[in-house]
Amino acid sequence: MDHKTEKVVTKRVMWPQWLAGIGVALLMLQMGLSLAWNSPYIAYLTSPESYISMTMKEASWVVSLINFGRIFGAIFGSVSVSYLGSKTTILINSFPIAMCWILTIAANRVEWLYAARFLVGIYIGMTYSSFSLYLAEIADPTIRGALVVLAMSGSTIGSLIISAMGVYLTMEVSGIACLLLCFVVMIIFIWLPESPHHLLKTNQQDKARLALLWYHRDCDVDMELRTLQEFIETNNNLSFINILGEFKKAHLRKALVLLTMLFMYSMMCGLNNIYFYMEIILTNAQVTVIKPAIIVTIVAAFGIAGSILSFFLIDKFGRRFLMISSILACVISLLCLGLQFHLLDAGYDATVLQGLAIFAMILFQVAVFIGMLSVPNTVLGEICPPHVKNVVACFTNIIAGIFSFISTATYQPLIDLITEKYIFFVYALILLTAIPYMLIYLPETKGKSLQQIQEDLTKKS
């Protein structure tokens, strides 16, 4: 009886952290909605039935401006996190995405969509500058990876929702539905307390105590506050120039290079192009057994399966295993897509090959959400000490935006130059070079506190 009582007493109270994770998942839901919007509606807007005249070149700019806006969002997000905190930044970030949906609803010319997509980019940049830092700062080490994956699953659910809406609803009606969901995010983050890390950094001791008790209800609050204070006090007053000087330290330099490579590989694998042009790719692959718009919805549903798998595996098998497994699966799917177009060009019967393109799309979607998207954001929140996190998040976010912009802006010209049968082989080759890099340089951080991770990195350097 005593043993059972002891087990009950020592059980950690996690529900406030899970609630915060659900709030971030709803924020990421907007990311899925806004990114996957491209596949059904770009296909419609470039068709003869569209009420807005749009060429493929204009469609390419609608897609590419997302990543251009992301560069500015990364800067705004980093400044906001530094001065206002990660939670407040998430709240502020709900406004540009709301404005995006308003512009989409009102759009009657392509310029309106340019502005809307640019705002999506700002939203994405600010989101990636804040959400993983927020979760890393409020989460218990045993569920930190799971919370990041839960947040990323919001993106897959959003993709499924907008893919289904794209089949049955007009652009205006789907925009109204997405706008209403923005208000839910606003309400949640008005109510949630700021991260204890930020409150301590800004010398708000009483609020930090209350926030710590809210997120960690069964903790020894005095001991946790002391630990947090010791963790950040030596670097709390560093200027921006001094923070940049911190990267002279070997372990921080290695962390920055690692994160840069993680986000570069994630963006240069063709992810955005497959995501944005999926319906058009399936149409060009001569898939007719199922309507391409329906396949996009099915593929989005498999993305949720990938997120669920990642949720259960990331804290069990670790970050490195998940990332490498995800890369291998992405390579296989890209090779299958390239093979599909190669065989079509060689004159093979399209009806026999349809299953290959569908399989490739499903495998790619599952693989991306198992590791390619979740692991870099998890590692970002773990391997950098608090005083450089904002700078690193900003820098890697800008890098991701630049490589995303390069990837999406060059996709249509490359299609015209070398056709689909070679472009997917190129993406697969790029990803193959990531495997040895991850095996050698990606550290394992599962189950470790932020302090332990920093100590390990410092010792290895």
Side-chain angles (χ1 to χ4, degrees):
M1 191 75 172
D2 292 338
H3 178 65
K4 289 182 179 179
T5 304
E6 184 181 348
K7 285 180 73 176
V8 172
V9 169
T10 56
K11 188 175 180 181
R12 304 297 300 272
V13 178
M14 300 288 193
W15 69 261
Q17 297 167 46
W18 286 110
L19 185 61
I22 291 169
V24 176
L26 290 174
L27 176 80
M28 298 298 288
L29 180 82
Q30 289 291 328
M31 185 176 294
L33 292 170
S34 57
L35 289 177
W37 177 94
N38 291 282
S39 183
Y41 290 111
I42 289 294
Y44 163 72
L45 288 165
T46 54
S47 70
E49 293 80 20
S50 173
Y51 64 90
I52 300 175
S53 178
M54 183 184 291
T55 65
M56 283 304 298
K57 184 177 180 181
E58 289 171 331
S60 177
W61 275 107
V62 168
V63 168
S64 300
L65 280 170
I66 296 173
N67 296 308
F68 187 60
R70 180 174 179 174
I71 298 170
F72 295 93
I75 298 169
F76 298 154
S78 180
V79 172
S80 180
V81 167
S82 181
Y83 287 97
L84 302 175
S86 53
K87 191 276 297 192
T88 304
T89 300
I90 290 172
L91 173 61
I92 292 170
N93 198 21
S94 58
F95 291 96
I97 191 63
M99 194 63 204
C100 154
W101 295 122
I102 292 170
L103 290 174
T104 302
I105 295 164
N108 56 12
R109 295 178 59 182
V110 70
E111 288 80 8
W112 290 73
L113 295 177
Y114 287 161
R117 298 288 92 188
F118 183 77
L119 285 171
V120 169
I122 289 176
Y123 153 78
I124 291 172
M126 292 185 70
T127 297
Y128 278 118
S129 291
S130 56
F131 93 91
S132 62
L133 300 184
Y134 170 69
L135 292 177
E137 289 172 353
I138 62 102
D140 187 276
T142 59
I143 63 167
R144 187 173 56 237
L147 283 181
V148 174
V149 172
L150 172 65
M152 295 303 299
S153 70
S155 179
T156 61
I157 295 170
S159 300
L160 175 61
I161 292 171
I162 198 68
S163 298
M165 286 197 292
V167 176
Y168 302 106
L169 301 180
T170 64
M171 204 163 70
E172 296 91 339
V173 174
S174 64
I176 291 169
C178 296
L179 178 61
L180 292 174
L181 289 170
C182 286
F183 296 122
V184 179
V185 177
M186 292 178 188
I187 291 168
I188 290 174
F189 282 95
I190 286 172
W191 173 63
L192 285 172
E194 184 54 80
S195 145
H197 280 70
H198 175 74
L199 293 170
L200 272 181
K201 282 169 65 179
T202 52
N203 296 316
Q204 301 180 67
Q205 299 281 347
D206 293 338
K207 288 184 178 180
R209 176 182 289 272
L210 292 174
L212 197 57
L213 282 172
W214 197 93
Y215 288 114
H216 302 268
R217 306 218 162 189
D218 56 352
C219 72
D220 182 340
V221 68
D222 291 322
M223 185 184 75
E224 291 289 341
L225 279 174
R226 281 197 302 272
T227 303
L228 277 177
Q229 189 68 48
E230 290 169 3
F231 191 44
I232 64 177
E233 67 182 358
T234 56
N235 302 300
N236 190 31
N237 296 317
L238 289 178
S239 66
F240 179 73
I241 298 300
N242 288 333
I243 290 174
L244 292 180
E246 287 289 287
F247 290 97
K248 292 178 182 177
K249 297 177 181 177
H251 70 286
L252 292 181
R253 218 166 38 244
K254 287 180 180 178
L256 183 61
V257 172
L258 170 65
L259 288 166
T260 298
M261 297 299 290
L262 282 172
F263 281 98
M264 184 201 75
Y265 279 120
S266 295
M267 295 301 109
M268 291 301 288
C269 69
L271 164 64
N272 286 321
N273 299 325
I274 292 175
Y275 210 46
F276 297 162
Y277 293 104
M278 189 179 297
E279 188 172 334
I280 293 173
I281 292 171
L282 289 167
T283 301
N284 292 341
Q286 300 180 35
V287 175
T288 56
V289 65
I290 306 173
K291 189 178 177 182
I294 302 294
I295 296 174
V296 171
T297 306
I298 294 170
V299 169
F302 275 92
I304 296 175
S307 291
I308 293 171
L309 279 173
S310 185
F311 178 84
F312 287 108
L313 297 177
I314 194 165
D315 284 320
K316 184 174 183 179
F317 292 103
R319 286 57 165 155
R320 187 190 295 120
F321 173 83
L322 231 57
M323 188 67 181
I324 293 172
S325 300
S326 175
I327 290 169
L328 284 171
C330 284
V331 168
I332 293 170
S333 63
L334 289 166
L335 290 174
C336 288
L337 269 179
L339 181 62
Q340 167 88 9
F341 286 101
H342 187 81
L343 293 175
L344 284 174
D345 194 56
Y348 283 79
D349 186 359
T351 57
V352 177
L353 298 172
Q354 294 183 70
L356 184 62
I358 296 170
F359 165 77
M361 287 297 187
I362 291 173
L363 179 61
F364 187 84
Q365 185 82 347
V366 173
V368 160
F369 283 98
I370 281 180
M372 290 289 288
L373 289 179
S374 59
V375 171
N377 289 289
T378 302
V379 174
L380 171 61
E382 293 177 329
I383 67 171
C384 296
H387 63 291
V388 300
K389 272 184 183 178
N390 292 344
V391 174
V392 173
C394 178
F395 180 78
T396 54
N397 212 343
I398 291 171
I399 289 293
I402 290 171
F403 280 109
S404 295
F405 182 73
I406 292 170
S407 179
T408 52
T410 58
Y411 177 72
Q412 197 58 48
L414 284 173
I415 290 291
D416 297 335
L417 182 66
I418 63 174
T419 73
E420 288 98 334
K421 71 176 181 179
Y422 292 116
I423 195 168
F424 296 116
F425 289 152
V426 171
Y427 291 146
L429 185 62
I430 291 171
L431 264 187
L432 276 175
T433 65
I435 295 174
Y437 185 86
M438 299 305 158
L439 282 169
I440 297 169
Y441 295 109
L442 182 60
E444 190 48 72
T445 56
K446 68 170 184 175
K448 297 179 181 178
S449 69
L450 300 183
Q451 291 91 332
Q452 288 174 323
I453 293 167
Q454 288 307 303
E455 289 169 3
D456 290 347
L457 289 173
T458 304
K459 288 175 184 175
K460 288 179 181 179
S461 298

